[in-house]
């Protein structure tokens, strides 16, 4: 891992603005502090300029020449970040941080950790590092599974599970065997501990900064004291959503698949 920098949302927004991407900068800033008037933004940016000077990210000589007051390597970093065509996004319901991994070029990627929508930390990595980066980010335990837990849902039932009040309806429209009923209840217990929300790892293709990114792939999962529940699609005729409790080793295999998908971006 090759550390790049740590900055606040306001600092990142100013760096992105100075590098020629004001629309992107506006989104970064508003995600952190909400909408502001023009006068308020100017005041925030003035203070932020002083912070960049203190961090020695501001180039006075370039400013005196009327040029962008950022070193070449900073401008290149921002350009690579903003114009990245591929991104892996990892949600983490148990923490206040988000991990995003941006493709830069060939086998080079960039990790981007956002803490509480305020602090941004960047580092360069290789595609082979991605599985371990994601595994360390989630830090799930290696508890062993005592017995197989598995059940199937229809697309409709899976969509309904996004709200707790739909639990009875899901049971009504599903045909569980006794074993599946037990697994389903275990899953619900774990889902309740996570405020009824699943985690996910999403892969996005972003061909242009003027357009919304395209979701290429997504994996839903849920940590448990007994393993990791993983949602997959099967060829089951009526209930294609397969939800199974995976071992830690199976979880690592899944992350290896994410890394393999990332390695194939340029192929």
């Amino acid at each position: 891992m090759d550390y790049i920098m740590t900055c606040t949302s306001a600092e990142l927004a100013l760096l992105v603005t100075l590098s020629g991407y004001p629309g992107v900068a506006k989104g970064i800033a508003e995600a952190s502090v909400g909408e502001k008037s023009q006068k308020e933004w100017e005041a925030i940016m003035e203070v932020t300029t002083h912070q960049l000077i203190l961090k020695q990210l501001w180039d006075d000589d370039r400013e005196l020449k009327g040029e962008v007051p950022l070193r070449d390597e900073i401008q290149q970093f921002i350009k690579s970040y903003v114009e990245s065509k591929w991104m892996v996004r990892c949600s983490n319901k148990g923490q206040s941080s988000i991990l995003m991994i941006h493709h830069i070029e060939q086998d080079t990627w960039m990790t981007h950790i956002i803490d509480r929508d305020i602090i941004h930390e960047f580092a360069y990595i290789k595609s082979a590092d991605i599985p371990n980066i994601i595994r360390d980010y989630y830090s799930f335990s290696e508890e062993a599974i005592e017995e197989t837990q598995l059940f199937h849902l229809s697309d409709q039932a899976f969509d309904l599970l996004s709200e707790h009040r739909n639990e009875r309806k899901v049971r009504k429209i599903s045909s569980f065997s006794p074993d599946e009923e037990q697994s389903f209840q275990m899953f619900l217990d774990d889902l309740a501990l996570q405020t009824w929300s699943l985690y996910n790892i999403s892969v996005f293709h972003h061909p242009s900064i003027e357009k919304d990114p395209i979701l290429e792939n997504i994996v839903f999962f849920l940590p448990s004291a007994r393993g990791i529940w993983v949602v997959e699609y099967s060829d089951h005729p009526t209930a294609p959503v397969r939800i199974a409790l995976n071992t830690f080793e199976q979880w690592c295999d899944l992350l290896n698949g994410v890394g393999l998908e990332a390695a194939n971006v340029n192929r």
Side-chain angles (χ1 to χ4, degrees):
M1 180 179 292
D2 185 9
Y3 173 77
I4 303 172
M5 66 181 298
T6 299
C7 61
T8 66
S9 293
E11 290 168 346
L12 181 60
L14 181 53
L15 291 172
V16 171
T17 297
L18 292 171
S19 299
Y21 306 96
V24 176
K26 185 173 184 290
I28 293 170
E30 289 184 348
S32 176
V33 297
E35 293 187 15
K36 300 290 183 181
S37 67
Q38 183 62 33
K39 188 174 182 179
E40 288 173 320
W41 280 127
E42 290 174 358
I44 292 172
M45 289 301 101
E46 182 178 355
V47 172
T48 304
T49 298
H50 298 159
Q51 293 171 347
L52 294 185
I53 293 172
L54 286 172
K55 288 187 172 184
Q56 299 183 332
L57 296 175
W58 193 274
D59 192 312
D60 292 326
D61 291 336
R62 285 178 178 267
E63 184 181 20
L64 290 173
K65 295 176 184 178
E67 300 175 357
V68 176
L70 302 174
R71 299 192 306 273
D72 288 340
E73 58 268 30
I74 296 297
Q75 292 187 60
Q76 183 56 50
F77 151 63
I78 294 297
K79 177 180 173 64
S80 298
Y81 161 62
V82 173
E83 297 187 4
S84 173
K85 305 297 184 186
W86 292 89
M87 178 183 73
V88 179
R89 184 183 187 277
C90 304
S91 72
N92 190 343
K93 302 297 294 184
Q95 297 183 13
S96 56
S97 65
I98 296 174
L99 168 65
M100 294 189 287
I101 308 174
H102 305 271
H103 182 242
I104 303 304
E105 60 179 3
Q106 299 179 347
D107 193 42
T108 300
W109 291 70
M110 176 195 294
T111 60
H112 176 196
I113 295 178
I114 306 174
D115 184 12
R116 291 163 292 177
D117 282 331
I118 300 173
I119 304 299
H120 300 253
E121 182 176 307
F122 298 90
Y124 289 124
I125 62 169
K126 298 299 183 182
S127 60
D129 300 323
I130 290 177
N132 285 339
I133 293 289
I134 298 177
R135 186 185 66 189
D136 291 345
Y137 172 67
Y138 287 114
S139 298
F140 293 152
S141 69
E142 300 185 33
E143 292 293 330
I145 296 175
E146 295 180 2
E147 58 181 308
T148 301
Q149 302 296 335
L150 169 70
F151 63 96
H152 290 79
L153 295 173
S154 66
D155 285 315
Q156 179 190 7
F158 181 62
D159 290 341
L160 287 170
L161 270 185
S162 61
E163 295 186 30
H164 177 250
R165 61 186 176 87
N166 292 328
E167 177 185 337
R168 288 185 179 180
K169 187 179 294 185
V170 170
R171 276 196 165 91
K172 186 176 181 180
I173 64 175
S174 302
S175 299
F176 293 137
S177 67
D179 286 344
E180 285 188 317
E181 173 62 36
Q182 174 183 301
S183 297
F184 179 64
Q185 185 57 56
M186 291 174 62
F187 177 76
L188 291 183
D189 293 342
D190 289 327
L191 191 58
L193 293 174
Q194 299 294 333
T195 62
W196 221 256
S197 296
L198 294 174
Y199 292 54
N200 72 77
I201 298 174
S202 310
V203 179
F204 290 93
H205 182 213
H206 202 179
S208 170
I209 60 174
E210 286 80 25
K211 297 181 181 179
D212 293 331
I214 302 166
L215 178 62
E216 295 286 340
N217 196 7
I218 186 168
V219 177
F220 291 102
F221 55 96
L222 184 73
S224 167
R226 297 169 291 271
I228 301 99
W229 294 100
V230 175
V231 180
E232 297 177 304
Y233 274 81
S234 69
D235 56 2
H236 195 286
T238 58
V241 182
R242 180 181 184 274
I243 301 178
L245 190 62
N246 281 208
T247 63
F248 186 77
E249 289 73 21
Q250 289 173 315
W251 165 248
C252 291
D253 288 342
L254 185 153
L255 298 185
N256 288 337
V258 174
L260 182 61
E261 185 175 357
N264 288 331
V265 161
N266 277 333
R267 296 180 183 177

